[in-house]
Amino acid sequence: MSGYDFDFFVIGAGSGGTRASRIAAAHGAKVGVAEERHLGGTCVNVGCVPKKLFTYAAHFAEDFEDAEGFGWTVGPRRHAWPALIANKNREISRLNGIYERLIAGPGAEIFDSRATFLDNHTLDVGGRRITADKILIAVGGRPFVPDFDGREHVITSDGAFFLPDLPERIVVVGGGYIAVEFAGIFNGLGAQVTQIYRGNPFLRGFDDDVREFLAGEMVKKGVDLRFDADVRRVVRRSGGGFSVDLKDGGTVETDLVMYATGRVPNTGGLGLDAAGVATGRGGAVTVDAGWRTNIDNIYAIGDVTDRIQLTPVAIQEGHALADSLFNPSGKTVGYEFVPSAVFSQPEIGTVGYTEAEARAKFGALDIYRSEFRPMKHTLSGRDERGLMKLVVVRETQRVVGLHVVGPGAGEMTQGFAVAIVMGATKRDFDATIGIHPTAAEELVTMREPIPDPVPLAAE
Ligand code: NDP
């Protein structure tokens, strides 16, 4: 023992903190974990998990319609939002219990309270003074809403997961992951959705073809996309609902306004100053390659470091950190080819570089791109298309980017990501036999690069 109450104290039992604490405890460290809200953090409680459940719920609307082309007669349909919320809440409670067992199982002690730094080895944990040799900050992030007139009238994704009813008209502001996912969810569940984004098109940072393509598909599904639009103010109407006044003079009448304009590190009230921990842009805790802050015994992982805000990244970081501190194995986290999915409707799967990023980094490229109609829609009659794109470095033939829009894009991309992390070339893709009939076979059967790649938008 180190002479401290704990060898390792973790602040925040989200995805990253939970993994770090249970791995450290399994390596024999005496571990404490403080969580002031629910175990599992953002992902389990107000993020990935309930969002994916909502996405399934929304997709049934199209599934019922599509079934008719296959001979089914589907009767009247009605969606009960309160039932979805109640069932989702039950599942989340079950997961909270699993997280408790995951942490306590290997012997870590859970404190259901806030932890605040008193100095670099001492914390106030719910009024109790606790010392620790090493401390991990894994407090995640929280939604950010910019300042404007009527800000108090809007909700964020945190509130969206607990709405008592689904309003008829919803405005979603933002153009990132959360905004496009919720626009698809609310639209699928029957609300009339307007998505307002300040740029054009949305999903900055994604491949340009993917951005344009998804926008086109969402419009077909009935989402009113307003690009190059910025909110001036939100006014509550005396007869109910809100007016969203835009800077260009337009107005959108709605029953609910949801902001999804990014997330910021959750460091407020943590007492970082008392420990001397330095923060950078937007209050993110600054760390080195080994997740160490400027203070020798204090570490930070996940969203609070504001690098890649993805649960699996935080989990890998937590695991690698716990190993490096208590059972060094040399395990690292690769940040170059991080796959991710946007559970928009239709879905996006992506791994590696966008065409623009790859051109800037590697020079000449071969671009393979294919647009297709998913087989299911030959009978369903639905006017939905898919997109697949490979970004290949011309000189080495290495595939450095893979982008998919369409049903199952996330599942598909997870598998292909292994090959891409391993350095697969286009020849490896060509040598792989397709599975027929699948959509994914398209990725191993694209023969000819586009002669002079022109972004889809320009065609
Ligand atoms: P993102 O950072 O993805 O997007 C934020 C959006 O808000 C951008 O479109 C941004 O515009 C816009 N924005 C920012 N500030 C303002 C402002 N002042 N006024 C108007 N618009 C503004 O954040 P999200 O909230 O969507 O998600 C947070 C993170 O959570 C994501 O980065 C992602 O890593 C993670 N996440 C992952 C998911 C997944 O893996 N499926 C799902 C959900 C979240 P601009 O681009 O012009 O700056």
Side-chain angles (χ1 to χ4, degrees), residues 351-428:
V351 55
Y353 294 82
T354 67
E355 180 177 339
E357 288 167 348
R359 206 172 291 291
K361 186 172 166 110
F362 302 105
L365 304 174
D366 288 338
I367 301 295
Y368 297 80
R369 188 171 66 206
S370 164
E371 255 194 76
F372 62 97
R373 184 181 201 192
M375 187 181 183
K376 182 177 169 188
H377 297 321
T378 56
L379 292 201
S380 76
R382 179 170 300 285
D383 177 21
E384 179 183 298
R385 297 185 67 77
L387 172 76
M388 292 190 176
K389 180 167 174 177
L390 293 180
V391 179
V392 179
V393 177
R394 185 165 294 160
E395 193 184 346
T396 60
Q397 286 297 297
R398 182 170 181 190
V399 181
V400 293
L402 179 148
H403 309 278
V404 181
V405 185
E411 303 289 348
M412 226 181 273
T413 305
Q414 181 68 84
F416 278 102
V418 178
I420 289 180
V421 167
M422 290 175 73
T425 62
K426 182 65 171 64
R427 277 184 294 278
D428 296 319

Side-chain angles (χ1 to χ4, degrees), residues 212-224:
E212 290 290 345
F213 193 86
L214 181 72
E217 292 300 309
M218 284 177 65
V219 168
K220 280 197 257 170
K221 289 179 191 296
V223 177
D224 179 4

Side-chain angles (χ1 to χ4, degrees), residues 56-57 68 95 139 143 168 188-189 192 201 206 210 214 225-226 251 266 288 312 336-337 372 387 392 408 431 444-445:
Y56 287 128
E68 293 179 4
L95 292 175
V139 295
E168 268 175 41
L189 291 175
Q192 187 187 317
F206 283 74
V210 166
L214 181 72
L225 290 181
R226 307 279 184 97
T251 295
N266 206 8
D288 66 14
E336 191 178 11
F337 292 101
F372 62 97
L387 172 76
V392 179
V444 294
T445 52

Side-chain angles (χ1 to χ4, degrees), residues 104-173:
E109 188 177 344
I110 300 172
F111 297 82
D112 299 329
S113 42
R114 187 175 184 76
T116 311
F117 281 100
L118 298 176
D119 64 44
N120 70 316
H121 281 290
T122 316
L123 296 162
D124 176 311
V125 183
R128 204 172 132 185
R129 212 180 147 83
I130 283 178
T131 61
D133 182 13
K134 297 178 171 62
I135 298 174
L136 172 62
I137 303 167
V139 295
R142 59 186 165 75
F144 158 78
V145 179
D147 269 335
F148 55 88
D149 237 14
R151 184 178 187 269
E152 67 279 12
H153 299 314
V154 311
I155 66 160
T156 65
S157 51
D158 283 359
F161 288 113
F162 298 96
L163 285 172
D165 298 295
L166 185 72
E168 268 175 41
R169 301 166 302 173
I170 302 179
V171 164
V172 177
V173 181

